[in-house]
Amino acid sequence: MSDFNGTGFDYTFGGFNQTVGANSVRLRDLVDDSGGAGTGQLLNLSSYSDSRFVVDMLANPGNGVDKFDLELIDSSGRTGKWTLGVSNLDVGVPGTLVSATTLANPTHGVGDFANLDLSNITTWQVLGTFSSPSPFDLNFDRVAISDAVSAPPAYPGAEQDAPWRAQAAARIEANRKANLQVNVTDALGNAISGANVSVQMTEHEFGFGSAVVASRLRDNNPVHATYKQKVAELFNLATIENNLKWPPWEGEWGGSFTKSGAQNAVSWLNGQGIDVRGHTLVWPGYSNLPTSVKNLLNNTPLNAAQQQQMRTLIFDHIADIAGNFAGQLAAWDVINETRTNHDVMDNLAEGDLAMVDWFNAALAADPAAKRYINNFGILSSAGGTNTFNQQEYFDTVQFLLNNSAPVDGIGFQAHFSEGDLTGPEDLWTIFDRFDQLGLDMQITEFDFGTTNEQLQADFTRDFLTAVFAHEGIDDFLMWGFWEDAHWRPEAAMFNSDWSIKPNGQAYLDLVYSDWWTDEELTSALAGTVDLRGFKGEYEITVTQNGVEQVVIATLTDGGLILDVSLPMLSADFNGDGDVDDKDLTIWSTGYGTTSGAVQSSGDANGDGIVDGNDYLLWQRQFGSSPNLPLAVVPEPTSWSLFLLFVLVQNCFYRRRKHLEFI
């Protein structure tokens, strides 16, 4: 297309300027990346539909952007765009970029870009992404099209040997696990070694959830039985997808969206032990508001009385719906998508300060529910870590905090397509930036819409791993999980017939296998079991000689030391429920074992040795059972004399058996 040897672009716009050199052209905008440069060139690229863009270039020291777009425009005005990331280029060092998709598959564009007419291209352009406040400063040596290049990784870090994977494993070990010690004793507090200790996780501390459809949960219709079963099996957190939005709450969306149906769905989720997020109290764009507020906005600019009427409508709604569910929800999205939904604030005298009032109203209506702000386009940035969207969101949250709004958390929507995938390390950079604000952080709406199911599974696995590894993230929710109940059916984890897709298997493998603790262990010396488990709820079952004790426990920060007392006596070596001469026989057989002994072989004190100390415990417990007081047993003049008698008897017995054999 151009090798830029002594040539440049035909034009620049949006503050961009160019400097033509002997072998390249320098394109820059010192203010931001909102602009670009282009060339009018008639091209028939129909024979290159399976080819990719190849760009030889370098990033200059003053560059602050991490991506740009290449754009083709056809004679009908349709445009196709391909995003190329520059964050992995070393500053000042020439490098080559290859588009992730072919010319037949632009990642985004204007108009019907999927049907871009490659046979009749009139213009091609280099564009800033119009989303970063940073300066654009890149040198272009060549822009070409080739069918001889391989596709680059779909996102940085997609490689199986990528270094971030080891870092993620270490962070998960440090952030998501804790030490668990189980001490097993008898009814008298004596350590029991050799007991079976089953440590079974029952629920994650970390939230794994999905948006759910209230109409499929609100009643006992058998048509929805599988849907309800999957919700209960897969998630410990859920968001009601639509029923708690303002217009459907007011009955404006028809019979599938009723207040009673929403309440029944929330009650069902609570009954399953699933925490519920409310979505959303105020979505302040015209198209997302109820008719009562739209009618006011139809008369802008609003006078003082109309403004007060709008404030009252909003406050009454928050008090109504948040108050109705007080104590039943874990969190509310108090405000949703403020960047593109600003009509209410624009028509109130206080402007953005109105948002502070809405957070205070939510606190008053339900003090127990955490209060979130939620927005999109923050993570789906094709690797961008300092975009306009990110800066605007950061500034909005900072504004709320500076004005004492009771904000608890930041919600990140995560709706991805093939052209905007962000790699794990770039995700960590974004999370680190927002973590400085000191608030909880959640992934509130994850999905990846593509027909490439292997890529979908790989990115789901890596995105979820990056999220779980970061200490600042508390929860992960996808925006639907079943094809027949998903706004982007191709993004679902389950097909219409409930067969699982590769991305669904990736989710299950991580959440309920790789990150799930299920151990069968044996109590060691002093009756202890030590392990590191994932934080969450546990059922711990301790068994010895048919005696069982089940304990429910919670493993969280700081770890847990759990004492489990079995209703048995440590000197009941044969487990028949009492301490008698049969147990003495077991002790005498094991006597002299110096290591590795367990309770059933005569070790009554859990030190791994069978010796006189264990005999003393047998002696004290002789004639007793766990439910009866200890019997009083006269002590011999010296236990060592008795021990000598036992040893002599053993020696005589063994010698007799030897003679019989001869």
Side-chain angles (χ1 to χ4, degrees), residues 409-444:
I410 304 168
F412 298 99
Q413 297 182 25
H415 301 293
F416 287 96
S417 300
E418 286 193 49
D420 54 24
L421 302 181
T422 300
E425 291 182 287
D426 291 327
L427 289 170
W428 287 342
T429 299
I430 299 169
F431 296 151
D432 287 345
R433 178 184 188 181
F434 283 87
D435 205 21
Q436 299 174 64
L437 295 168
L439 300 175
D440 294 344
M441 298 191 295
Q442 286 184 342
I443 306 303
T444 55

Side-chain angles (χ1 to χ4, degrees), residues 500-540:
I500 194 167
K501 292 172 53 182
N503 61 330
Q505 192 61 54
Y507 173 85
L508 291 179
D509 288 345
L510 290 176
V511 177
Y512 292 108
S513 180
D514 295 354
W515 301 336
W516 192 257
T517 302
D518 190 348
E519 300 279 355
E520 297 291 333
L521 304 167
T522 301
S523 60
L525 301 184
T528 61
V529 164
D530 291 286
L531 72 152
R532 258 182 95 70
F534 287 97
K535 299 173 190 176
E537 301 298 320
Y538 282 83
E539 181 177 280
I540 298 172

Side-chain angles (χ1 to χ4, degrees), residues 113-134:
F113 65 87
N115 291 311
L116 181 71
D117 184 2
L118 292 175
S119 68
N120 200 1
I121 299 299
T122 61
T123 307
W124 66 273
Q125 299 186 141
V126 169
L127 301 176
T129 57
F130 295 81
S131 63
S132 171
S134 300

Side-chain angles (χ1 to χ4, degrees), residues 7-8 12 17-22 24-28 138-140:
T7 61
T12 61
N17 61 76
Q18 62 178 326
T19 303
V20 177
S24 66
V25 58
R26 183 179 187 182
L27 192 62
R28 51 181 183 160
L138 301 172
N139 268 46
F140 293 86

Side-chain angles (χ1 to χ4, degrees), residues 333-572:
D333 288 330
V334 176
I335 312 174
N336 194 47
E337 300 180 353
T338 57
R339 184 178 69 255
T340 55
N341 290 264
H342 214 264
D343 296 311
V344 172
M345 294 84 90
D346 289 342
N347 285 281
L348 291 174
E350 63 270 28
D352 285 350
L353 285 172
M355 296 188 294
V356 178
D357 296 332
W358 303 339
F359 271 95
N360 282 315
L363 171 62
D366 185 0
K370 289 189 173 184
R371 294 159 296 281
Y372 276 75
I373 185 171
N374 190 46
N375 218 328
F376 72 100
I378 311 303
L379 305 180
S380 52
S381 61
T385 59
N386 187 31
T387 67
F388 174 84
N389 291 353
Q390 293 159 0
Q391 185 64 51
E392 191 275 343
Y393 196 32
F394 187 95
D395 291 344
T396 298
V397 179
Q398 187 69 71
F399 170 84
L400 291 169
L401 294 175
N402 289 344
N403 286 280
S404 302
V407 184
D408 293 306
I410 304 168
F412 298 99
Q413 297 182 25
H415 301 293
F416 287 96
S417 300
E418 286 193 49
D420 54 24
L421 302 181
T422 300
E425 291 182 287
D426 291 327
L427 289 170
W428 287 342
T429 299
I430 299 169
F431 296 151
D432 287 345
R433 178 184 188 181
F434 283 87
D435 205 21
Q436 299 174 64
L437 295 168
L439 300 175
D440 294 344
M441 298 191 295
Q442 286 184 342
I443 306 303
T444 55
E445 304 181 22
F446 172 81
D447 54 44
F448 176 19
T450 178
T451 57
N452 185 339
E453 292 192 354
Q454 186 57 56
L455 175 60
Q456 188 178 58
D458 291 344
F459 185 71
T460 297
R461 177 199 63 215
D462 290 349
F463 180 86
L464 189 49
T465 301
V467 166
F468 194 57
H470 195 280
E471 60 276 9
I473 304 295
D474 301 307
D475 305 285
F476 164 88
L477 292 102
M478 59 190 73
W479 205 247
F481 64 97
W482 181 42
E483 182 181 5
D484 287 5
H486 204 298
W487 77 300
R488 301 171 82 182
E490 74 281 3
M493 292 198 306
F494 290 90
N495 293 308
S496 179
D497 63 0
W498 288 108
S499 58
I500 194 167
K501 292 172 53 182
N503 61 330
Q505 192 61 54
Y507 173 85
L508 291 179
D509 288 345
L510 290 176
V511 177
Y512 292 108
S513 180
D514 295 354
W515 301 336
W516 192 257
T517 302
D518 190 348
E519 300 279 355
E520 297 291 333
L521 304 167
T522 301
S523 60
L525 301 184
T528 61
V529 164
D530 291 286
L531 72 152
R532 258 182 95 70
F534 287 97
K535 299 173 190 176
E537 301 298 320
Y538 282 83
E539 181 177 280
I540 298 172
T541 304
V542 179
T543 308
Q544 174 70 348
N545 288 333
V547 179
E548 180 178 280
Q549 190 75 288
V550 179
V551 178
I552 304 302
T554 301
L555 180 61
T556 187
D557 289 334
L560 176 66
I561 297 176
L562 185 66
D563 296 323
V564 179
S565 177
L566 291 174
M568 62 178 291
L569 296 174
S570 63
D572 179 16

